[in-house]
Amino acid sequence: MTVRETAAAAVQDRSTPRHDWTLAEVEALFELPFAELVFQAASVHRRWFDPSEVQISQLLSVKTGGCAENCGYCSQSQHFKTGVGASKLMDAEAVIAKAAEAKAGGAQRFCMGAAWRDLKDRDLPKVAAMITGVKALGLETCVTLGMLNGEQAKALKAAGLDYYNHNLDTGPDYYDKVVTTRTYQDRLDTLELVREAGLSTCCGGIVGMGETRRDRAGLLQQLATLPAHPDSLPINDLMPIPGTPLGGSAPVDGLEFVRMIAVARLVCPKAVVRLSAGREHMSRELQALCFMAGANSIFVGGKLLTTPNPDRDDDAALLRELGLRPMGVAAPTPAPAVIAAE
Ligand code: SAM
Ligand code: DTB
Ligand code: SF4
């Protein structure tokens, strides 16, 4: 076969979701020549999505700080001195008002995060009221509240929840270098209960915590061998937090970050891959490469949970310049074809 035929065959093979990826296979994708990897990912992206469309989410921290877990990257853990104070769970009305602002600014999904190890039943009615109220605005709903039990997952679904975010964060072999107050299996167990409750899953991880490429491949292999691939797959570039164990981590090379996005697209072809935390320190060109490599979601609004995110107007300008539009919004008149029909 010619190089061109080999590449075309690889893309054809990669378009069908698989759940039997081996670590060696995922590592081999990372090793592809950069342009070949991005080409394959871009081709698979087009098989399942309109590559001009980007899903738009907005975050709100509904309960900040004071968390019992010791995640080494997090500003909100009570184990580290980061300057982020602990606050109480917000009132549902205040959250719904923030969601209405987010909707007016163009968000399609509103993601509410709480700095909890696990959801306590006493907090469930208030969280349920937030979900129901946000859903009533016509927004998709997402929450991330730590570990759940099965009954809680079902109650969140009944309240109108669409997505539950619960990240695996890194590969299984690196996990205990990042957090020791819970296990990888704890995360997998909650994800299973979330799926069983009929919720869509949002599950991904972080790069830039000192992990190797093999650990990154390990994370993606875990995601790609779940009984159902994540519906949303956030790839966060570490926001380094002074005072945390990982606050001094060396930044990840931009091209390596693009590889992570591209491999995520290849192993979970139908997932919406989010270029998540870290855009604040990325150039427009790097973000453009990520979109080319299959990223099709972002967080908007000037703040993530506790750290900055690009200004909404800058993002609007970037999307305009790249010819990207919010998912589900009608396309403008097509541009003339640039490749003549054979
Ligand atoms: N407490 C819940 C939990 O851990 O599942 C929900 C909130 S937690 C902040 C949500 C996710 O944000 C984490 O799993 C992690 O992947 C991501 N995250 C937290 N701090 C981050 C940072 N400094 N940089 C990048 N991603 C981060
Ligand atoms: C996800 O994967 N990233 C978001 C969301 N899910 C909850 C959180 C990013 C947090 C970045 C650090 C901060 O703002 O505190
Ligand atoms: Fe707590 Fe979540 Fe931060 Fe871990 S990532 S310390 S569980 S808020």
Side-chain angles (χ1 to χ4, degrees):
M1 275 204 278
T2 64
V3 171
R4 203 174 148 192
E5 284 164 349
T6 309
V11 168
Q12 187 64 31
D13 282 354
R14 300 208 197 295
S15 291
T16 310
R18 283 175 49 194
H19 294 262
D20 60 351
W21 287 95
T22 65
L23 181 58
E25 284 178 313
V26 180
E27 284 187 282
L29 293 177
F30 273 90
E31 301 293 331
L32 283 170
F34 183 81
E36 177 62 25
L37 173 59
V38 173
F39 167 77
Q40 289 195 19
S43 305
V44 167
H45 187 184
R46 281 154 176 74
R47 165 75 176 75
W48 294 106
F49 295 97
D50 178 338
S52 306
E53 292 194 345
V54 178
Q55 189 279 331
I56 310 281
S57 291
Q58 187 157 342
L59 274 167
L60 177 67
S61 180
V62 298
K63 195 274 166 207
T64 306
C67 182
E69 302 275 31
N70 69 351
C71 309
Y73 48 77
C74 187
S75 63
Q76 305 194 70
S77 165
Q78 66 182 16
H79 297 259
F80 320 124
K81 277 206 176 65
T82 64
V84 172
S87 70
K88 283 194 174 158
L89 181 61
M90 287 174 70
D91 284 332
E93 300 79 67
V95 172
I96 296 162
K98 288 281 186 195
E101 281 173 30
K103 183 171 189 208
Q108 301 173 318
R109 187 180 308 164
F110 195 65
C111 307
M112 294 158 270
W116 286 326
R117 169 177 165 77
D118 50 12
L119 175 61
K120 302 284 185 294
D121 283 340
R122 63 168 183 266
D123 292 318
L124 190 49
K126 210 162 163 184
V127 171
M130 290 174 194
I131 292 167
T132 306
V134 172
K135 182 85 178 163
L137 296 172
L139 283 159
E140 288 183 324
T141 53
C142 178
V143 295
T144 180
L145 313 169
M147 289 183 258
L148 299 179
N149 64 39
E151 291 311 307
Q152 292 171 335
K154 286 181 204 140
L156 294 173
K157 169 82 180 169
L161 187 64
D162 297 310
Y163 289 81
Y164 195 79
N165 166 252
H166 203 62
N167 290 340
L168 291 178
D169 281 342
T170 191
D173 295 341
Y174 197 64
Y175 199 68
D176 63 4
K177 308 284 183 302
V178 174
V179 48
T180 57
T181 50
R182 60 166 185 252
T183 65
Y184 218 68
Q185 192 58 47
D186 288 334
R187 295 305 262 190
L188 292 169
D189 290 348
T190 294
L191 284 166
E192 189 177 346
L193 297 173
V194 164
R195 284 193 306 271
E196 280 172 8
L199 292 163
S200 297
T201 53
C202 173
C203 183
I206 309 178
V207 300
M209 302 191 295
E211 74 286 346
T212 60
R213 186 183 266 187
R214 189 181 174 85
D215 295 318
R216 292 178 200 131
L219 166 65
L220 294 179
Q221 190 227 355
Q222 287 289 322
L223 298 175
T225 54
L226 288 170
H229 289 172
D231 300 284
S232 264
L233 198 169
I235 301 293
N236 297 279
D237 197 14
L238 179 73
M239 295 295 284
I241 311 287
T244 61
L246 297 172
S249 308
V252 170
D253 173 70
L255 296 183
E256 184 67 14
F257 188 85
V258 178
R259 283 183 189 271
M260 184 73 181
I261 296 277
V263 178
R265 167 57 61 215
L266 288 173
V267 298
C268 294
K270 293 170 78 172
V272 170
V273 176
R274 182 173 305 124
L275 173 52
S276 194
R279 289 195 305 112
E280 173 71 7
H281 53 244
M282 289 180 195
S283 68
R284 297 177 333 136
E285 293 83 353
L286 176 53
Q287 294 181 61
L289 269 176
C290 290
F291 292 126
M292 282 177 68
N296 59 349
S297 171
I298 55 171
F299 283 123
V300 298
K303 197 172 174 192
L304 295 167
L305 291 173
T306 65
T307 63
N309 194 46
D311 180 76
R312 187 186 297 275
D313 292 342
D314 291 343
D315 274 344
L318 177 66
L319 295 187
R320 217 172 22 248
E321 197 162 342
L322 298 179
L324 298 173
R325 60 178 191 281
M327 211 167 258
V329 172
T333 318
V338 287
I339 302 173
E342 283 177 25

